[in-house]
Amino acid sequence: MNALIVADDLTGAMDTGHQFAASGLETTVRISRRPPDADENVDARWQHEGDTDRQTPTATAAVVAVTTETRYADAPTARERVVRAVSVADADESTLVYKKVDSTLRGNVVAELEATTDATGAALAVVAPAFPAAGRVTRDGIHTVDGVPLSETEYADDENGPTTAHLPTLLAASRYPVDHVPLEDVSNGVEALAAVVRDAAGREGARVLSFDATRSSHLAAIADAAARCDERVVYAGSGGLARYVTVPGDGRETDARRGRKLASAPNTTRKTGALGIVGSVNDRTLAQLERVPDAAVIALEPSDVLESPTTAGQEAGTRAGKRLAAGEIAVLTGARSNSDLEETLEIGRREGLDRSQVRVRVKRALARAGRAAVDVQPPAGLFSTGGDVTVAVCEALEASSVALTGEEIEDGIPVGRLETGPIAGTTIVTKAGGFGGESAIVNSLSRLREDDRQ
């Protein structure tokens, strides 16, 4: 293993891992296993005997991504899981460790950054969450999405959303000293920037160095400058920075893993149609869902989901499976609009359920629906959006890993192939909620239909 990616959710692991796969490196994303009661006790999955084995990246891939599923965990839990993920991977000093940070700074950014630095013994953490191709940039320390400061976006209202749009202020909660590199210095050229990085890494004790970046060329310069540092560096960023990070390893071993074509699973089962599962309620995702033909969308009834997620999921999945058997597209969702979301939350409140409990039931229903659909008719391809739901769907499908192909629908929307489970070999496309243009879901499903036609 030449590089280890540690992400707090699956879609983040996928889009970051894709950046390495696109350069020709064989890249595998590992999916954690949850015990049967994990839907009610999210911490149990990491306490369950045997989970460590499933987190061990034993594949021979040059790059391995693991998920800690800590986007909505408390900080101490997040810290513990990250340390465990790095230690279980048994990454030595030659292994590049990349801490995937959400491009909207959700989750336990500081706690997980510290944990990664601690676990690797790195002298410096290089932090650049910008992803200009997806509309995320940092200028004067202010992180924005499509020109709007994070504190003024819907991401700030997320359960574990950013408390500030000012990156240095967010990172100031770290016990490590934090310095910020402004855009002027980032634009001075790689040699000058490398001197800044070396100076920070050479000081006593570990440090955090964050960066402005408004263009992809800025991220390329940051990655290049960090690679010239003699001290061990941990990279922390979204898929944007990952695109430009150089993976270490001797040329012979690395070259042997480049350009490898992923073999399809034996064609023993007829696969047809394309299955989509929409678990995100981000405004952008809901707008993308509006472009899907109404006949293809199967929305779960809120009251049924909250009363019995398993039954509701089974019924919706069976309907979806029938569409797949006819060679059609089927898209399962818990909400088609913000009004659907508010209705579900209101029903939950009347039943004494908080937002996180509602989310768990919807997630369980969608996962069950996905499995029920596949049991009726294995699809030619699977699309899923929303990290937490995507993990639950993969677990329901007994898929413990995804091999990334190096292809993508558009920036941040990678294409992979399920490596295990009853539909191993099936193409999978994943998308973070806030990524993609208005046609992202339609384009993803169209790509999957190509597999069906072939």
Side-chain angles (χ1 to χ4, degrees), residues 191-228:
E191 289 294 342
L193 192 57
V196 172
V197 173
R198 283 194 293 266
D199 177 68
R203 299 182 192 180
E204 183 177 356
R207 303 181 73 84
V208 174
L209 198 60
S210 61
F211 295 81
D212 280 351
T214 61
R215 300 176 182 175
S216 295
S217 59
H218 296 150
L219 295 173
I222 293 166
D224 194 355
R228 301 184 186 199

Side-chain angles (χ1 to χ4, degrees), residues 79-141:
R79 191 186 306 273
E80 178 188 352
R81 293 184 191 174
V82 168
V83 169
R84 188 178 305 177
V86 175
S87 62
V88 166
D90 195 27
D92 59 29
E93 291 187 0
S94 67
T95 304
L96 182 145
V97 176
Y98 192 97
K99 177 66 193 76
K100 196 277 179 182
V101 173
D102 180 55
S103 64
T104 60
L105 303 181
R106 291 173 296 165
N108 296 282
V109 175
V110 173
E112 297 193 11
L113 179 63
E114 287 183 340
T116 307
T117 305
D118 292 344
T120 59
L124 185 69
V126 169
V127 184
F131 199 160
R136 280 81 163 146
V137 304
T138 312
R139 183 191 296 271
D140 298 326

Side-chain angles (χ1 to χ4, degrees), residues 45-74:
R45 83 189 71 153
W46 281 77
Q47 299 166 358
H48 187 64
E49 183 178 357
D51 272 3
T52 299
D53 293 338
R54 285 289 291 273
Q55 278 292 308
T56 305
T58 54
T60 57
V63 181
V64 175
V66 297
T67 63
T68 57
E69 295 306 303
T70 47
R71 174 66 56 82
Y72 299 108
D74 57 55

